[in-house]
Amino acid sequence: MNQRTPTLLYIDDDGALARLVERGLTRRGYRVVHAASGEEGLERIRRAVAEGGIDVVALDQYMPGLDGLETLEQIMAIPGAPPVVFVTASQDSSIAVTALKAGAADYLVKDVTGDFIPLLHVATEGALRQAELQKAREEAEAEIHASRDRYAALAAERELLLREVNHRVGNSLQIIASLLHLQASSAAQDEVKAALTNAMGRVAAVAQVHRRLYTSQDLKSVVLNQYLDSLLEDLRRSAEGNRMSRLTLKAEPIEIDPDRAVAVGIIVNELVMNAVKYAYPDGAGPIHVELHAHGDDVLLSITDNGVGDNVKADPRSTGMGQRIVAAMASKLDATVERDPTHSGTRIVLKFARMPAAPGRTSTAAAS
């Protein structure tokens, strides 16, 4: 496959020297075209940018009309202009510095006998290589930007889909919780009513996480104080009578991943409902939920001022709540302890903000 012969535009008002350049570079595999002035050279370059045909320019400094530096400045303003090798008979180094700052690829001093032509060939080859590298760099940068744009578009689409999934899951779970609530309201047996109410709370705890993710800017984490506030509000609305009127929350804005947030919510639901059932046999009383950071750990406590250890065992109890708390605590790799100094009941969970490393053995224990 034959390569195209590169074309050099030689801009110089010295026609005799231009012919020497043409003979010298033609032998070295170039096609040379001549422009006798800066204005003519600019016109050829503008046409070449649109139609092709000029690969590199050799530009003389001293010419009537536009001189070399003025012509170079206008060439550099043409988008897609070929590289320029600046040529002059002057030994003034300041001209070279000015030309290179203006955008010339190289600079050399000429003579009237054509001895500079081998140097012009070397400079031309270097300018072409530099232009090829620049073009390759620009194409690579353009591809990088295009790839980033494609990745950003895919990421935005993925985020939109995740939000839609969380929205639909949250809605579906809320419908299930509402159905359980309706069924509990119509149940005649207290045991069935209690079981359905407990199931409704567990479903609602999971639904709240998905609702949080749907409305949050960050799909990878849940802010626990906001989540628990909504969860406890659900518990207040679902409780019979006024037994939840003194349920309070004091929590810091701690962020954890959604899976672990579900575990925290289910634990809070179980322990709060347990306190509602057993802490105050003669009526309602305060139940406090607190969440605080403790170094790299998180402390979660559910406290009541009820009967504490004096509570009588309910023969109808299945122990399901305790098993669920133990399972969720294991998921969090949390410790679960009862505060022996508290007159009522105070359950304290301690777990790391970040998930435990794989293979770590859970220290959770149900109380």
Side-chain angles (χ1 to χ4, degrees):
M1 181 175 173
N2 295 328
Q3 293 184 342
R4 186 178 68 84
T5 300
T7 299
L8 177 137
L9 172 63
Y10 185 69
I11 305 175
D12 193 338
D13 62 323
D14 188 337
L17 193 56
R19 287 189 291 274
L20 289 176
V21 169
E22 182 177 4
R23 286 197 297 270
L25 291 184
T26 299
R27 290 196 299 267
R28 291 172 170 83
Y30 278 80
R31 173 177 173 264
V32 179
V33 295
H34 175 226
S37 67
E39 292 85 353
E40 182 184 351
L42 285 168
E43 182 59 29
R44 285 178 174 267
I45 290 170
R46 291 189 182 101
R47 289 203 309 268
V49 168
E51 303 171 5
I54 294 177
D55 301 292
V56 63
V57 176
L59 175 61
D60 184 38
Q61 163 61 6
Y62 296 108
M63 295 181 296
L66 290 175
D67 67 16
L69 290 174
E70 292 169 333
T71 303
L72 176 63
E73 182 178 352
Q74 293 195 37
I75 292 174
M76 291 298 104
I78 300 173
V84 177
V85 177
F86 203 78
V87 182
T88 180
S90 174
Q91 299 289 334
D92 187 355
S93 60
S94 64
I95 295 177
V97 172
T98 303
L100 293 172
K101 285 184 176 180
D106 206 345
Y107 172 92
L108 58 89
V109 177
K110 72 176 182 176
D111 59 82
V112 297
T113 62
D115 291 340
F116 75 98
I117 291 174
L119 295 178
L120 177 58
H121 174 248
V122 172
T124 299
E125 291 285 303
L128 287 172
R129 284 195 298 272
Q130 182 177 332
E132 289 174 357
L133 289 173
Q134 178 65 24
K135 182 180 179 182
R137 182 162 53 247
E138 291 173 354
E139 290 176 350
E141 289 175 354
E143 179 58 31
I144 289 172
H145 288 308
S147 297
R148 288 175 179 171
D149 291 343
R150 288 194 297 270
Y151 176 79
L154 289 172
E157 182 180 3
R158 177 179 178 272
E159 181 174 328
L160 182 63
L161 290 173
L162 284 174
R163 288 186 188 282
E164 181 63 21
V165 167
N166 281 305
H167 180 54
R168 294 189 179 191
V169 170
N171 282 349
S172 298
L173 290 173
Q174 190 58 49
I175 290 172
I176 294 172
S178 298
L179 292 174
L180 289 170
H181 179 69
L182 289 173
Q183 191 69 42
S185 300
S186 62
Q189 295 178 312
D190 291 341
E191 294 87 346
V192 174
K193 185 186 295 289
L196 291 171
T197 300
N198 289 340
M200 180 192 67
R202 292 157 189 160
V203 172
V206 181
Q208 272 292 346
V209 169
H210 288 282
R211 288 206 293 272
R212 287 276 142 206
L213 291 175
Y214 173 65
T215 58
S216 172
Q217 295 298 318
D218 183 4
L219 296 172
K220 297 180 181 178
S221 64
V222 173
V223 184
L224 282 178
N225 64 322
Q226 299 173 358
Y227 167 52
L228 292 177
D229 185 59
S230 298
L231 179 62
L232 295 186
E233 184 59 32
D234 285 347
L235 289 174
R236 291 188 189 96
R237 286 197 299 266
S238 66
E240 295 180 7
N242 198 34
R243 293 173 63 83
M244 287 286 203
S245 61
R246 301 177 65 184
L247 177 60
T248 64
L249 171 68
K250 184 177 180 181
E252 296 178 5
I254 299 170
E255 295 186 19
I256 64 173
D257 63 272
D259 286 344
R260 287 153 56 79
V262 167
V264 171
I266 291 176
I267 288 172
V268 169
N269 176 79
E270 296 301 325
L271 293 179
V272 167
M273 293 305 296
N274 190 68
V276 169
K277 291 178 185 177
Y278 304 118
Y280 303 103
D282 299 327
I287 302 171
H288 307 293
V289 178
E290 296 189 16
L291 182 87
H292 302 288
H294 183 70
D296 293 333
D297 295 327
V298 177
L299 295 180
L300 171 67
S301 64
I302 294 85
T303 305
D304 64 65
N305 298 325
V307 296
D309 289 336
N310 296 323
V311 63
K312 294 182 179 179
D314 189 339
R316 297 169 300 174
S317 175
T318 64
M320 175 65 73
Q322 290 185 357
R323 292 198 296 272
I324 290 175
V325 169
M328 294 299 103
S330 178
K331 183 179 180 66
L332 290 169
D333 198 28
T335 59
V336 183
E337 297 179 353
R338 181 188 293 268
D339 183 356
T341 65
H342 188 70
S343 58
T345 300
R346 183 170 185 262
I347 305 298
V348 180
L349 286 88
K350 180 179 180 181
F351 57 92
R353 287 190 188 215
M354 301 299 294
R360 178 179 169 185
T361 302
S362 172
T363 56
S367 297

